[in-house]
Amino acid sequence: MSKIPDFEGLAMFAKVAEERSFAAAARAMGVSVATVSRAVTRLEERLGGRLFNRTSRQLALTDYGHTLAERASKIYAEAEEAENVAREASSRPRGLVKLAAPLSFGTRWVAPLLPEFFRRYPDIAVDLHLTDARTDLIGDGFDAALRIAALEDSSLVARLIVPVRRFVVASPSYLARYGRPQHPHDLVAHHCLSYANRAKRDVWRFTHRKTGEESAVTPTGPLRGTSAEALLPTVLEGLAITEFPEFLATQYFPDKQLEPLLADWRMPEGGLYFVTPTARARPAKISALADFLIAGLSDAPWRAEAVMGWKPPEQRGKQP
């Protein structure tokens, strides 16, 4: 015999005792009469005693059934209350959301949105984890994450918010001192900073916009870092080249603190995604945060077009 109580049998017995009818209990619970009958019979066999005296016209609790009916009814009522509380909590935007986001992006673009979110949803709290390390949503217990990547197939549910380009950049002082690379292969002779937390070795892959020629370069330089913010000061000081995501690079384009290089070449384009472990039975608090962030970030004020009217070479000269 299983050590787990027969909650289904107790619930159906309680409803039959209340309705004084198998058929009425079945209608109230939305199941068949046969299902209710089997559950009660199974419970009687488990407990070793008859709960009802049955005739063709009458159904009555036995003395043994009377001793159990009140407790079974309490169990049924408490289970209904627990479900109602859980259902209400899942339908109202309230509770704690554990959210992961990239360090630089989260600091610059996500955190400033949160005051307005808290004004709209005062019953929601956010546990915001900012890291450029890969987070395991399920293993680490996250409710959701913002990810910037060329997202691989997985069991996660991902909603694309906006595409995100990557730019190879350098400061004008670096270019004046070392020259401007014209082909990705020229980068081999330059100081190029890279990321230490890439899943595989950091390789910059390029495709020529017109010819389709492909080129791959392994960056080598005096610094590797786990975040773009760690590489930024060295690049701004004119000591190296690196590649930055669009949301970081473009803010340095208008005043020419940084310049985009190799404009005729493109790197693999990723995207900004809102990612959750599953779309099923998503609590209202997750849906509220997802809708708010997607609305706030889809405008993408960091896009090169928005910052300075920049267009990739293949779109230049075209009418809007």
Side-chain angles (χ1 to χ4, degrees), residues 69-128:
E70 184 176 353
R71 291 186 177 182
S73 294
K74 286 182 179 180
I75 292 172
Y76 189 91
E78 288 177 359
E80 280 189 319
E81 182 181 0
E83 281 196 353
N84 289 336
V85 169
R87 191 177 294 112
E88 181 182 7
S90 68
S91 63
R92 293 175 54 195
R94 64 185 303 168
L96 176 66
V97 179
K98 190 175 179 182
L99 175 71
L103 176 59
S104 300
F105 184 81
T107 302
R108 177 67 181 84
W109 298 105
V110 179
L113 294 176
L114 293 180
E116 176 59 26
F117 177 77
F118 295 135
R119 280 191 285 267
R120 292 191 195 181
Y121 301 100
D123 294 329
I124 299 179
V126 177
D127 191 351
L128 180 61

Side-chain angles (χ1 to χ4, degrees), residues 39-95:
V40 172
T41 299
R42 183 180 68 242
L43 184 63
E44 288 177 327
E45 292 174 352
R46 179 187 177 96
L47 298 178
R50 291 184 61 82
L51 299 171
F52 294 103
N53 287 319
R54 303 173 179 84
T55 67
S56 59
R57 296 184 177 182
Q58 189 175 12
L59 179 70
L61 285 166
T62 64
D63 290 341
Y64 182 58
H66 274 291
T67 63
L68 183 62
E70 184 176 353
R71 291 186 177 182
S73 294
K74 286 182 179 180
I75 292 172
Y76 189 91
E78 288 177 359
E80 280 189 319
E81 182 181 0
E83 281 196 353
N84 289 336
V85 169
R87 191 177 294 112
E88 181 182 7
S90 68
S91 63
R92 293 175 54 195
R94 64 185 303 168

